[in-house]
């Protein structure tokens, strides 16, 4: 048993006991007029207290973010019931990370298919969740369940709104600096104040550098997991009158990361389940003992895939390594330029970061963001809100595709994303404030240009440009929505609200490379339009000033799209593909989500304690399933006999039941407790006939019944507990007027890496301790993270076994019917110091 897990039962028992003793509270609590300030949230596109908002919301203000030492969305998710964020999605790098709500996960890096979205000051962001810092935030609002009615695109299962700081009305500067063992350093500086009576400013900058925690045994002197970034930002707030407020913000960020702290876990000993005989009807003989399948069985197509059955562990440090040196980069470049199909000035080099100008493994990324929010009070009861934003992000990434020290595969990818959005809404109160009406429209335009290429790095390198698109590919989406809400206060205690959106998604995908178009390959597959009506109905009952009960019905949608790799197949290849995936087509349909939720929000003991509870049932239908299959290559000039086709199709219906609790209690004048608890059961209920079942069908046979399997990549159980002691000094001490101590425990339950429910990612307990001194303008702390040395993988997903031991097919090629797992390595224990200071 791992050392960290010795503490798990004790930690959970402590959380449960604290919950029973204190009876809970909200993470960001409101208090009465005799207490502290009331927390205002904008989750329904209007200002209301957290207690009154009939939604499952968790919020963190800047005080709590600093006190907990949170640095990114991954940290925030650990204390948010119903939200889970792994270190990486399908890409082991700080790109494409998607927040996952309530067991809803989609295995894809397509940003148009993300199931949840982060907004920055209400502005839609296509990407960037991993590198958005929190030092410039006023608060974070995490809204759970479908938010499509008001927020629209890609808020299928939830939404997160980052609210940035406004400038103050006095001149001041603040600094936040950190230094920790394992060579981690961070400094964040901000300046703000008035320019005139009506105009104020804030400017800030951040630099962070952290060394990786794991030595690369394959490349001596290189660490895995190095991360570095810097950013600058500026904000102007213009208030020409009491009725007009305009906020404009601009930011720029650069990221320079090394090879990721990740590893492929596979090899001969890893394959202990699967490889069963399969008859012509797709029924696998689970009594068959051939594991793994032989090369002849695979060629004949009569055996299923083999995988690991059990709890996956982080590899021993003595074998953690990958091919990520400069010589490997040269190998890739020489193979590409000498392949004959691609030249050094190929279209892929049009990217800002490309394989010709990037000489180190890892990620290079930059982003530019601009937004303007205008709030105008037309009258005492009517207001107008106008929002506009523009975001652009570029990245290039070298990676050892197999994530091992074996000479197997190398890959390069580049991408450019730009999006802009506009929104206008008018809101007003009528009938002596009993009726609130809001009408609005918004538009989002997204363009993504990407290119991926890989080569085998053994023998004579072969470029897999037909599998991983070295030629640029463009994806576009234009989303227009009209939305509105009506909130009627029937009595002093009872109200009803109806929200709805009509939305049109125009999706387009096309080849950018004119040479491919000239060769007769399909270029423009689109555009195609998906329309939807998305409602939400809420009943709210407030029997006392301290109690809110609500019942909600809401719908969400995830737009469909195209399968360009299917469109490129000839009739023979398409027929072969449909033997294994009968529903494979050039397009796939949208996904739907229905949520029925009961919530209870309660304040206790005059605001000193309270809790939020949300119990829900969700039905997820027409699920989008990502599949990758190998078929025969019919092009006589192709370098390989097998062609890999990646595509989406629609499949399962999943029933999701869950309960989420977050709470807070001021136990004594000095002791404060906060915590969260979530249990979510996401079970596949049904699957359409002849639809592909992904990893499950690959292992158990195409005809196997997938119903009853648990949804992957989401822990059913999670909990957190934070305890803070804050004590005043009797006399001021060198500018400090008190001291504090804080402990955090974050528990993440075990979960499956795929729908096969065979490879389990074990539970993890993260523990942090903080001690320090604080004053009116200063805070100094000593901290320890990962106190107990937890070493469970921080992320894991099912992936082809690309180790040299798996080169078992004739000609030395890989047997892609043998699966492995790629895991993210968890950071080790660290000690550090943090200083925050405000100059007034």
């Amino acid at each position: 048993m791992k050392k960290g897990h010795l503490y798990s039962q004790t930690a959970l028992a402590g959380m449960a006991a604290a919950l029973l003793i204190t009876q809970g509270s909200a993470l960001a609590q409101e208090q009465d007029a005799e207490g502290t300030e009331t927390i205002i949230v904008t989750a329904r596109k209007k200002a209301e207290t957290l207690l009154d908002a009939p939604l499952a919301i968790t919020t963190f203000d800047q005080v709590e973010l600093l006190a907990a030492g949170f640095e990114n969305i991954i940290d925030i998710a650990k204390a948010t019931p119903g939200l889970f964020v792994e270190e990486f999605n399908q890409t082991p790098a700080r790109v494409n990370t998607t927040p996952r709500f309530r067991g809803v996960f989609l295995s894809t890096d397509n940003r148009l298919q993300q199931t949840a979205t982060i907004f920055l000051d209400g502005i839609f962001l296509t990407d960037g969740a991993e590198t958005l810092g929190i030092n410039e935030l006023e608060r974070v609002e995490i809204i759970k369940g479908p938010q499509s009615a008001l927020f629209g695109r890609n808020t299928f299962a939830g939404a997160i709104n980052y609210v940035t700081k406004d400038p103050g009305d006095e001149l001041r500067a603040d600094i936040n600096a950190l230094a920790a063992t394992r060579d981690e350093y961070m400094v964040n500086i901000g300046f703000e104040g008035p320019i005139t009576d009506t105009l104020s400013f804030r400017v800030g900058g951040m630099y962070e550098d952290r060394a990786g925690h794991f030595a690369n045994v394959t490349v001596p002197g290189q660490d895995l997991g190095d991360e570095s970034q810097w950013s600058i930002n500026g904000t102007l707030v213009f208030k020409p009158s009491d009725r007009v407020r305009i906020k404009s913000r601009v930011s720029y960020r650069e990221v320079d990361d090394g090879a990721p702290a990740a590893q492929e876990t596979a090899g001969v000993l890893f394959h202990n389940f699967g490889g069963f005989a399969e008859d012509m009807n797709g029924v696998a003989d689970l009594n068959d003992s051939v594991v793994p399948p032989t090369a002849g069985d695979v060629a004949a197509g009569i055996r299923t895939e083999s995988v690991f059955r059990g709890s996956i562990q982080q590899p021993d440090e003595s074998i953690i390594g990958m091919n990520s040196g400069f010589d490997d980069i040269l190998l890739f470049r020489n193979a590409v330029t000498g392949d004959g199909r691609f030249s050094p000035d190929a279209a892929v080099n049009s990217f800002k970061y490309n394989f010709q100008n990037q000489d180190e493994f890892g990620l290079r990324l930059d982003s530019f963001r601009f937004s303007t929010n205008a709030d105008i009070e037309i009258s005492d009861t009517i207001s107008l809100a106008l929002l506009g934003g523009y975001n652009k992000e570029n990245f290039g990434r070298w990676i050892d595709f197999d994530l091992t020290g074996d000479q197997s595969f190398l890959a390069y990818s580049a991408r450019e994303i730009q999006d802009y959005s506009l929104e206008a809404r008018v809101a007003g109160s009528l009938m002596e404030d009993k009726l609130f009406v809001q009408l609005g429209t918004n538009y989002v335009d997204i363009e993504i240009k990407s290119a991926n290429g890989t080569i085998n790095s053994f023998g004579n390198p072969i470029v897999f440009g037909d599998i991983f698109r070295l030629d640029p590919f463009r994806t576009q989406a234009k989303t227009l929505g009209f939305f509105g809400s009506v909130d009627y206060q029937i009595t002093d205690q009872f109200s009803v609200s109806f929200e709805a959106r009509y939305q049109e998604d125009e999706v387009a995908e096309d080849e950018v490379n004119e040479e491919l178009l000239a060769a007769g390959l399909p270029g423009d597959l689109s555009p195609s339009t998906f329309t939807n009506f998305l409602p939400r109905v809420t009943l709210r009952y407030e029997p006392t000033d301290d109690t809110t009960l609500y019942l909600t019905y809401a719908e969400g949608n995830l737009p469909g799209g195209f399968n360009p790799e299917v469109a490129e197949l000839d009739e023979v290849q398409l027929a072969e593909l449909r033997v294994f995936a009968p529903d494979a087509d050039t397009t796939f349909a949208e996904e739907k989500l229905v949520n029925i939720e009961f919530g209870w929000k309660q304040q206790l003991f005059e605001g000193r304690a309270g809790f939020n509870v949300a119990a829900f049932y969700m039905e997820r239908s027409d699920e989008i399933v990502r599949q990758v299959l190998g078929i025969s290559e019919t092009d006589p000039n192709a370098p390989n006999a097998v062609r890999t086709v990646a595509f989406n199709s629609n499949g399962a219906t999943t029933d999701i039941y869950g309960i989420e609790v977050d709470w807070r209690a001021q136990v004594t004048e000095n002791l404060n407790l906060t915590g969260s608890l979530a249990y979510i059961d996401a079970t596949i209920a049904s699957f359409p006939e002849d639809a592909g079942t992904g990893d499950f069908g690959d292992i158990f046979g195409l005809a196997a019944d997938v119903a009853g399997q648990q949804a992957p990549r989401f822990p059913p159980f999670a909990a957190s507990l934070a305890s803070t002691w804050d004590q005043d000094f009797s006399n001021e001490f060198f500018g400090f007027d008190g001291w504090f101590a804080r402990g955090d425990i974050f528990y993440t339950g075990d979960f499956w890496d795929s729908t096969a429910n065979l490879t389990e990612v074990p539970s993890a307990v993260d523990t942090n301790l903080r001690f320090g001194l604080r004053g009116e303008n200063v805070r100094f702390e000593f901290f320890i993270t990962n106190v107990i040395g937890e070493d469970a993988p921080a992320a894991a997903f099912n992936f082809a076994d690309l180790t040299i031991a798996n080169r078992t097919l004739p000609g030395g090629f890989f047997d892609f019917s043998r699966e492995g797992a790629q895991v993210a390595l968890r950071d080790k224990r660290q000690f550090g110091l943090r200083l925050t200071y405000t100059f007034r």
Side-chain angles (χ1 to χ4, degrees):
M1 180 178 292
K2 297 188 302 174
K3 177 174 59 177
H5 295 164
L6 294 174
Y7 296 85
S8 62
Q9 292 183 344
T10 303
L12 293 177
M15 293 178 196
L19 179 61
L20 292 174
I21 292 171
T22 62
Q23 300 184 44
S25 173
L27 277 173
Q29 67 178 11
E30 314 87 357
Q31 300 206 6
D32 58 22
E34 297 178 357
T36 57
E37 63 180 328
T38 297
I39 301 299
I40 302 297
V41 296
T42 55
R44 295 200 299 163
K45 292 188 180 289
K46 67 175 183 176
E48 56 189 338
T49 69
L50 184 61
L51 177 64
D52 289 338
L55 290 169
I57 311 171
T58 297
T59 70
F60 299 90
D61 62 19
Q62 58 180 317
V63 174
E64 179 67 13
L65 293 171
L66 176 63
F70 292 155
E71 296 182 357
N72 51 43
I73 187 60
I74 297 173
D75 293 337
I76 292 172
K78 293 176 183 177
T80 305
L83 173 64
F84 180 58
V85 182
E86 284 187 287
E87 293 286 345
F88 56 75
N89 187 25
Q90 303 299 97
T91 302
R94 290 198 290 174
V95 293
N96 300 330
T97 299
T98 300
R100 302 172 197 163
F101 286 94
R102 296 182 169 179
V104 176
F105 168 70
L106 181 62
S107 179
T108 180
D109 277 342
N110 185 345
R111 305 314 295 162
L112 299 185
Q113 298 298 319
Q114 58 187 334
T115 60
T117 292
I118 289 183
F119 294 78
L120 187 62
D121 288 328
I123 301 298
F124 180 93
L125 299 182
T126 304
D127 205 1
E130 317 81 357
T131 58
L132 281 174
I134 66 171
N135 291 308
E136 287 295 313
L137 297 185
E138 180 67 31
R139 70 179 182 275
V140 179
E141 299 177 356
I142 300 121
I143 320 163
K144 289 157 278 188
Q147 304 302 315
S148 302
L150 293 184
F151 286 90
R153 166 171 274 281
N154 295 120
T155 58
F156 181 66
I160 300 172
N161 188 26
Y162 280 5
V163 182
T164 60
K165 294 178 181 178
D166 283 351
D169 56 5
E170 63 178 20
L171 193 63
R172 55 178 274 178
D174 51 75
I175 183 171
N176 180 359
L178 176 150
T181 55
R182 306 188 189 278
D183 292 327
E184 180 175 358
Y185 307 96
M186 183 277 294
V187 61
N188 183 82
I189 300 175
F191 302 91
E192 64 179 49
I195 299 176
T196 68
D197 292 342
T198 59
L199 183 65
S200 57
F201 80 98
R202 179 175 176 85
V203 295
M206 182 274 290
Y207 174 77
E208 179 182 26
D209 187 81
R210 62 192 308 267
H213 289 202
F214 298 88
N216 185 354
V217 299
T218 308
V219 182
Q222 184 184 79
D223 290 331
L224 300 180
D226 288 350
E227 294 181 352
S228 179
Q229 63 178 325
W230 66 269
S231 67
I232 55 175
N233 61 82
T235 302
L236 288 175
V237 172
F238 181 48
K239 298 180 181 178
S241 71
D242 292 339
R243 293 185 178 272
V244 177
R245 178 185 179 278
I246 302 173
K247 177 180 179 179
S248 296
R249 188 174 189 273
V250 62
S251 66
Y252 178 79
R253 181 178 303 269
E254 285 194 4
V255 173
D256 188 358
D257 292 350
Q263 191 77 176
E264 170 93 2
T265 302
V268 175
L269 297 179
F270 196 78
H271 301 277
N272 61 9
F273 188 87
F276 305 120
E278 186 177 3
D279 64 23
M280 296 303 294
N281 296 318
V283 177
D285 179 7
L286 301 187
N287 295 316
D288 184 38
S289 60
V290 178
V291 179
T294 66
D297 290 331
V298 175
I302 60 173
R303 295 223 171 251
T304 66
E305 290 185 348
S306 62
V307 296
F308 174 69
R309 183 180 191 179
S311 180
I312 192 170
Q313 303 297 318
Q314 190 162 282
D316 188 87
E317 290 191 42
S318 63
I319 62 171
I320 292 175
M322 61 182 69
N323 305 109
S324 51
F326 183 66
D327 289 344
D328 300 297
I329 291 177
L330 291 180
L331 179 67
F332 186 102
R333 289 176 177 169
N334 292 337
V336 169
T337 57
D339 183 77
R341 291 177 295 163
F342 307 103
S343 61
D345 59 349
V348 70
N349 285 336
S350 65
F351 288 88
K352 181 175 182 178
Y353 301 113
N354 58 69
F355 64 85
Q356 295 284 43
N357 64 21
Q358 190 169 343
D359 294 333
E360 293 182 352
F361 267 78
L363 173 72
R364 291 182 64 190
L365 177 148
D366 67 60
S367 63
F368 173 82
R369 310 190 188 283
F370 173 77
S371 64
T372 294
N373 294 17
D375 296 303
I376 304 168
E377 293 183 16
I378 299 175
S379 69
D380 291 342
T381 58
I382 301 176
S383 63
L384 173 67
L386 303 172
L387 292 79
Y390 173 78
N391 302 284
K392 185 171 185 178
E393 179 180 279
N394 301 276
F395 84 69
R397 187 202 68 196
W398 282 108
I399 191 170
D400 181 8
F401 195 68
D402 54 275
L403 293 184
T404 72
D406 293 347
Q407 286 284 353
S408 297
F409 290 92
L410 301 173
Y412 186 82
S413 60
R415 188 178 71 190
E416 295 178 359
I417 292 180
Q418 61 178 346
D419 64 63
Y420 65 85
S421 57
L422 299 169
E423 179 174 317
R425 64 179 185 269
V426 61
S429 298
L430 304 170
M431 301 172 58
E432 297 180 346
D433 294 335
K434 290 185 176 181
L435 179 65
F436 176 83
V437 179
Q438 180 175 222
L439 296 173
T441 182
N442 59 7
Y443 176 77
V444 178
D445 189 307
I446 305 168
E447 180 175 348
I448 305 172
K449 187 174 78 168
S450 58
N452 303 281
T454 190
I455 65 166
N456 68 21
S457 55
F458 52 90
N460 296 316
I462 297 175
V463 179
F464 291 92
D466 56 337
I467 301 175
F468 303 93
R469 296 174 176 275
L470 192 60
D471 296 283
F473 190 80
R474 183 170 58 233
T475 304
Q476 295 175 288
K478 299 178 181 180
T479 304
L480 176 64
F482 300 92
F483 63 90
S485 64
V486 177
D487 197 329
Y488 181 61
Q489 193 73 36
I490 300 173
T491 69
D492 290 341
Q493 297 176 323
F494 186 75
S495 65
V496 60
S497 65
F498 178 73
E499 302 157 359
R501 167 182 295 264
Y502 173 77
Q503 181 167 288
E504 292 186 354
D505 277 290
E506 183 182 275
V507 181
E509 296 191 4
D510 62 83
E511 295 284 0
V512 177
N513 193 313
E514 297 297 331
E515 295 178 4
L516 292 180
L517 293 173
L521 292 177
D524 192 359
L525 301 175
S526 50
S528 184
T529 300
F530 302 85
T531 62
N532 229 305
F533 177 75
L534 302 162
R536 179 164 66 189
V537 181
T538 303
L539 303 176
R540 178 174 56 187
Y541 177 59
E542 298 175 296
T544 72
D545 292 340
D546 295 325
T547 304
T548 298
L549 305 173
Y550 67 87
L551 182 65
T552 296
Y553 172 88
E555 295 182 8
N557 80 308
L558 190 62
F562 300 93
N563 290 316
E565 294 186 35
V566 175
E568 293 176 358
L569 302 180
D570 58 35
E571 293 183 3
V572 173
Q573 292 172 318
L574 185 59
E576 182 181 350
L577 179 68
R578 285 177 172 167
V579 171
F580 302 99
D583 60 335
D585 205 342
T586 57
T587 63
F588 58 95
E590 71 172 14
E591 211 179 298
K592 299 178 181 178
L593 186 67
V594 172
N595 179 51
I596 300 173
E597 180 176 318
F598 169 76
W600 178 13
K601 299 185 175 186
Q602 184 68 53
Q603 295 267 351
L604 299 167
F605 311 121
E606 297 181 344
R608 293 192 300 273
F611 58 82
N612 293 337
V613 178
F616 56 88
Y617 164 73
M618 300 199 303
E619 183 185 64
R620 183 183 180 190
S621 58
D622 296 325
E623 286 187 41
I624 297 170
V625 180
R626 185 68 169 173
Q627 298 187 73
V628 180
L629 295 175
I631 61 172
S632 301
E633 178 57 79
T634 57
D635 182 357
N637 298 318
N640 307 305
V642 177
R643 178 181 187 133
T644 302
V645 182
F647 61 97
N648 290 327
S649 59
N650 295 92
T653 295
T654 298
D655 289 333
I656 305 174
Y657 301 86
I659 184 168
E660 302 159 349
V661 181
D662 58 59
W663 55 274
R664 181 174 191 143
Q666 190 72 42
V667 181
T668 70
E669 182 181 353
N670 305 108
L671 178 61
N672 183 68
L673 297 176
T674 62
S676 66
L677 187 70
Y679 176 75
I680 296 170
D681 182 299
T683 302
I684 297 175
S686 63
F687 216 88
E689 185 176 356
D690 294 331
T693 57
D695 294 322
F696 181 85
D698 293 338
I699 297 166
F700 292 97
L702 296 178
D705 186 3
V706 71
Q709 297 296 103
Q710 296 294 303
R713 308 285 296 276
F714 196 96
F717 186 73
S720 70
L721 175 66
S723 175
T724 303
W725 183 276
D726 192 277
Q727 179 90 44
D728 288 337
F729 290 145
S730 56
N731 295 297
E732 187 174 292
F733 175 73
F734 291 103
F736 297 103
D737 52 26
W739 66 275
F740 63 89
R742 175 177 173 127
D744 288 272
I745 302 174
F746 305 105
Y747 175 82
T748 304
D750 49 45
F751 58 94
W752 304 110
D753 79 332
S754 78
T755 55
N757 289 186
L758 293 171
T759 305
E760 181 184 66
V761 182
S763 60
V765 178
D766 288 308
T767 50
N768 303 327
L769 293 176
R770 302 177 188 278
F771 314 90
L773 304 173
R774 46 90 176 153
E776 181 180 359
N777 298 317
V778 62
R779 176 186 174 95
F780 180 77
E781 74 174 27
F782 167 75
F783 63 84
I784 311 172
T785 57
N786 196 4
V787 176
I788 63 175
E790 177 63 77
D791 62 356
F797 70 94
N798 177 267
F799 199 77
D801 182 350
L802 300 180
T803 59
I804 291 296
N806 195 30
R807 287 174 57 189
T808 59
L809 294 182
F813 285 100
F814 285 79
D815 179 354
F816 288 105
S817 71
R818 301 166 81 177
E819 296 293 304
Q822 293 194 344
V823 303
L825 309 178
R826 187 177 298 271
D827 282 350
K828 301 177 182 178
R829 183 187 299 112
Q830 282 184 277
F831 302 86
L833 300 173
R834 182 191 292 269
L835 171 69
T836 59
Y837 194 88
T838 300
F839 301 88
R840 300 180 187 272

